[in-house]
Amino acid sequence: MSKVTKRKHVMNEALWDNYELPKENQSIVKVLKNRGNNLHEVTTPSGEEYLVSMPTKFRKNIWVKRGDYILVEPIIEGDKVKAEIVKIMNKDSIKYYKENNLWPKEFDDSRKQDAELNEDDLFVNTNRVQMTQYHSETDSSDSSDDSDSNSDIENGGK
């Protein structure tokens, strides 16, 4: 199997082509940090934090970033690494879970908080001059003065 074909199959499997409900031992978690070596720190709806591993077949084909939701399955052999990634949730799968009342309410609230950014939290670029907005009254009077001076110049100053 070529690399392209393998990547296509892995992407289809990981990114939720078929809508199926999670099994009893699977759970939904939110990615907090990337720890390196295909390990990710996650949090559960109850607030427990632990490491999950990326399966070998997903490595170099799938990337998970901070704030993504994933479906994990627990593994027995790990002390620090307690689960392995099964699926990566996208908007459609999250919507499907919400329709079936399987989406954790704790993540629903945090999703709203992430989406609502205050303008105070936004980065301000200090290298650019801040433009202020002028009122329409001053713009209209300035433009009429400019047009009068231009017409004077065109008429030879008369």
Side-chain angles (χ1 to χ4, degrees):
M1 183 182 313
S2 71
K3 273 188 173 182
V4 176
T5 307
K6 178 184 177 191
R7 182 170 289 153
K8 182 176 76 171
H9 289 294
V10 168
M11 294 288 281
N12 286 341
E13 183 179 341
L15 294 178
W16 206 266
D17 271 347
N18 54 350
Y19 294 115
E20 59 184 37
L21 300 176
K23 298 175 184 156
E24 292 178 13
N25 60 345
Q26 295 176 342
S27 61
I28 301 168
V29 295
K30 181 179 180 179
V31 177
L32 295 177
K33 299 177 189 175
N34 179 2
R35 291 294 191 160
N37 289 339
N38 298 300
L39 295 175
H40 301 278
E41 187 174 334
V42 298
T43 183
T44 62
S46 61
E48 180 186 0
E49 295 180 7
Y50 57 87
L51 295 176
V52 298
S53 66
M54 177 80 72
T56 311
K57 63 182 175 182
F58 292 163
R59 296 176 186 176
K60 296 185 181 179
N61 293 318
I62 303 291
W63 288 268
V64 179
K65 62 181 187 275
R66 182 180 46 222
D68 283 349
Y69 295 98
I70 54 178
L71 189 66
V72 296
E73 194 169 275
I75 55 176
I76 300 168
E77 62 265 0
D79 290 333
K80 292 183 181 180
V81 180
K82 295 184 178 180
E84 188 171 58
I85 297 172
V86 177
K87 300 270 186 190
I88 295 148
M89 311 281 284
N90 58 20
K91 287 187 274 185
D92 295 332
S93 58
I94 292 171
K95 183 178 176 183
Y96 180 74
Y97 273 43
K98 286 180 181 178
E99 289 171 357
N100 289 308
N101 296 324
L102 293 171
W103 190 253
K105 291 179 182 176
E106 294 83 3
F107 288 154
D108 197 25
D109 293 337
S110 68
R111 186 83 169 172
K112 288 178 184 175
Q113 290 172 359
D114 292 343
E116 296 174 0
L117 287 175
N118 294 333
E119 288 189 26
D120 300 335
D121 296 338
L122 295 176
F123 173 75
V124 176
N125 187 352
T126 57
N127 294 329
R128 293 190 174 233
V129 177
Q130 296 294 326
M131 299 296 291
T132 58
Q133 293 184 346
Y134 295 104
H135 298 291
S136 60
E137 296 171 6
T138 58
D139 286 343
S140 61
S141 65
D142 289 343
S143 62
S144 64
D145 291 342
D146 292 341
S147 63
D148 290 343
S149 63
N150 287 341
S151 63
D152 289 342
I153 293 171
E154 291 171 1
N155 293 334
K158 295 181 183 177

